[in-house]
Amino acid sequence: EEINDKCCLLCTAGPPPCLNRPHVSWTAIVRTVLYVLHRSHKISEYFSMKNDISEFVKNHWEQLGIHRKENQKWRKHILDALSHNDTIFSSGKLTCHQIGMWALLDKDSSPWHDSTTFTRTKRPRLSYSSVSSFPPPSPSSYSSVFSTSLSP
């Protein structure tokens, strides 16, 4: 069932505050998508990644505040957000007996009224300069390793 843009909450209300950022997280995007889908289809609890979520994202790319060029990796980013945030999203694998079905756990928490931003955090990278600051082992420490003789 297609969503009519005239009653689409994202199209009528505009993007929620969590999407009005320079670097929007995929978790915030997916949470907004599932919230809008749930509000548009109150009888459905779980939505298909392939038929519902992906189609909604494709049709609302700009409204979702995605400031990236559309490429093939965006579906993987969505799946990562869904599968790595089990306090926000629920898989329908057990409930629907299907893979690829997803629900929003808190269907009453509106992205338009919630202050959660779901900021992306970057892990620190180990660089060569940080590794080279450690003192090298002294040559005397090698001698203990090679001090045993191989005499017959």
Side-chain angles (χ1 to χ4, degrees):
E1 180 181 341
E2 257 184 60
I3 293 178
N4 183 347
D5 280 345
K6 291 178 182 154
C7 65
C8 168
L9 182 59
L10 183 63
C11 294
T12 57
C18 64
L19 299 184
N20 288 326
R21 307 184 152 281
H23 300 287
V24 180
S25 75
W26 284 103
T27 303
I29 292 168
V30 176
R31 178 177 176 247
T32 302
V33 168
L34 283 173
Y35 182 83
V36 171
L37 287 171
H38 178 69
R39 290 288 174 211
S40 301
H41 306 284
K42 290 194 183 261
I43 57 170
S44 299
E45 185 174 348
Y46 287 87
F47 295 93
S48 164
M49 170 58 193
K50 182 179 180 182
N51 299 323
D52 302 316
I53 300 169
S54 290
E55 285 302 310
F56 189 92
V57 171
K58 278 188 350 191
N59 294 332
H60 295 84
W61 191 264
E62 290 181 20
Q63 293 96 322
L64 288 166
I66 304 172
H67 305 293
R68 304 167 185 108
K69 184 180 170 189
E70 188 175 338
N71 63 30
Q72 296 300 321
K73 291 184 180 181
W74 67 269
R75 286 182 183 86
K76 180 187 179 321
H77 294 305
I78 290 174
L79 284 171
D80 287 345
L82 288 165
S83 57
H84 294 293
N85 290 286
D86 59 357
T87 59
I88 303 169
F89 309 115
S90 172
S91 168
K93 185 175 181 179
L94 297 175
T95 308
C96 303
H97 306 292
Q98 282 184 306
I99 58 170
M101 300 295 288
W102 294 92
L104 189 60
L105 286 175
D106 185 359
K107 294 162 194 59
D108 297 322
S109 177
S110 167
W112 281 267
H113 299 110
D114 186 5
S115 62
T116 308
T117 58
F118 304 105
T119 55
R120 296 186 305 170
T121 56
K122 290 189 175 187
R123 289 182 281 162
R125 292 186 180 181
L126 187 60
S127 67
Y128 179 75
S129 60
S130 64
V131 173
S132 64
S133 65
F134 293 108
S138 65
S140 62
S141 64
Y142 296 135
S143 62
S144 63
V145 174
F146 298 109
S147 65
T148 57
S149 65
L150 297 175
S151 56

